[in-house]
Amino acid sequence: MNLRHAAAVLVGSALIAVGAAAPSSSSPSTPSVASGSADTSALFPNSGLAQFAAAFTRSQAAPEMAPPGANDWACRPSAAHPRPVVLIHGTWANAHANWSGLSPVLKKAGYCVYALNFGAPVGDVFKARGHVPESAKEVATFVDKVLDTTGAQQVDLVGHSQGGGLLPRWYLKFEGGAAKTHRLVGVAPSNHGTTASGMASLAKSLRVLDTTARMAGPAAKDQTVGSDVNTRLDAGGDTVPGVRYTTVVTRTDEVVTPYRQQYLVAGPDAPVDNLTLQDACPTDLSAHLGIAYSPVMYRLVLNALDPEGARTATCLG
């Protein structure tokens, strides 16, 4: 058993232990979030972490596994939803761990959904460790494949943490992504980096603090405040013309700190909606990992992707 595999087992076991202590919202009469129906899990602040833990544990056996609903290459966008949605996971996560909640929700809503793994060798559970500019090239290749396969003109990007912040913004600004992207929705995005304590908090949450120095990769440094990547990316403003931006932020984020670092400032022809989870549901205290499984987040993302069909987000999603 190598270091990364051992750490992965440790992560899954520890997160399951944390999640097991959380109040459960599941019952025979409660619809499953994965089915696309709203449930009451947003009322329990630790339930998202438990779901993340379960998905991460499943991914250990097959690290390249897509989340449910994603990567149906026969899917063709509809008139109602003409743009495929590309999901971009966060640092030290993978597509299945990050998106097993949102992906089936989007699929049920009628979207063609795609999710890539990047930033680590094939077979590694901990992904998104690579240098952000290099990972952006992987995103570019994947988006081109989605566009070529579906015949769509543009995609919508939805990402978590690194996948909703520095990485897609680099793709838009330096890899030609602006012309191919209609909207970027960042969930707990690392838009302007985080303090070193934020990256340490993520390692602590994943119970891999002792192995972080050996497995972190360049992405950890790239996401600290004042890094070369942040400096180059923020020069000239937060946005690029022609793309619409939405951030979905939680005030209880312990990783991208301070949480206001996640908000964006609109630029020319680049409107921004900065949304805060607790404004929609004060009792949803989802932190950095748990927000990936918040039904309130699902509703806010659905609203961002389809403003004309938007519904008021509540604690039930």
Side-chain angles (χ1 to χ4, degrees), residues 3-311:
L3 171 65
R4 290 195 182 101
H5 181 67
V9 173
L10 181 62
V11 169
S13 300
L15 284 176
I16 286 293
V18 172
S24 173
S25 60
S26 299
S27 70
S29 60
T30 301
S32 166
V33 173
S35 72
S37 302
D39 70 3
T40 58
S41 63
L43 301 177
F44 302 101
N46 293 323
S47 61
L49 179 59
Q51 292 174 51
F52 186 102
F56 188 92
T57 298
R58 290 193 301 272
S59 74
Q60 292 173 27
E64 309 308 318
M65 177 170 53
N71 296 355
D72 173 5
W73 296 99
C75 186
R76 295 296 177 265
S78 64
H81 301 306
R83 292 179 299 276
V85 178
V86 174
L87 302 176
I88 310 175
H89 62 75
T91 308
W92 306 335
N94 56 63
H96 187 85
N98 226 144
W99 301 120
S100 286
L102 180 62
S103 178
V105 170
L106 293 172
K107 182 70 172 179
K108 184 175 182 180
Y111 290 92
C112 291
V113 185
Y114 300 90
L116 76 156
N117 286 298
F118 63 90
V122 172
D124 278 16
V125 173
F126 292 105
K127 300 187 183 296
R129 303 193 317 268
H131 190 31
V132 165
E134 294 305 314
S135 292
K137 296 181 187 299
E138 295 186 61
V139 172
T141 297
F142 189 82
V143 169
D144 286 349
K145 179 181 178 181
V146 169
L147 293 176
D148 289 344
T149 302
T150 62
Q153 298 300 306
Q154 289 185 309
V155 299
D156 287 324
L157 304 178
V158 178
H160 176 246
S161 193
Q162 177 193 159
L166 292 181
L167 175 54
R169 287 180 57 217
W170 191 281
Y171 164 66
L172 296 177
K173 188 170 184 177
F174 297 117
E175 293 295 332
K180 302 171 184 179
T181 303
H182 177 73
R183 182 180 294 275
L184 168 60
V185 182
V187 178
S190 59
N191 274 320
H192 301 295
T194 179
T195 60
S197 62
M199 295 307 295
S201 293
L202 178 57
K204 184 177 181 181
S205 296
L206 290 171
R207 301 302 197 271
V208 291
L209 190 57
D210 291 341
T211 60
T212 296
R214 284 170 286 178
M215 60 157 282
K221 180 179 179 180
D222 289 344
Q223 291 177 95
T224 55
V225 173
S227 72
D228 290 343
V229 167
N230 270 293
T231 299
R232 286 191 61 191
L233 191 56
D234 290 346
D238 291 352
T239 60
V240 295
V243 179
R244 298 175 177 271
Y245 296 79
T246 301
T247 67
V248 181
V249 171
T250 175
R251 294 190 180 101
T252 59
D253 199 312
E254 80 288 21
V255 174
V256 184
T257 55
Y259 77 88
R260 292 180 181 84
Q261 288 283 99
Q262 301 174 35
Y263 296 135
L264 294 172
V265 176
D269 191 26
V272 173
D273 291 317
N274 289 312
L275 308 177
T276 305
L277 198 68
Q278 288 77 27
D279 288 345
C281 178
T283 62
D284 188 341
L285 304 181
S286 299
H288 190 74
L289 295 180
I291 193 175
Y293 286 85
S294 164
V296 183
M297 181 275 285
Y298 301 161
R299 171 46 51 193
L300 293 173
V301 170
L302 287 168
N303 288 350
L305 295 175
D306 182 14
E308 293 183 1
R311 300 202 320 254

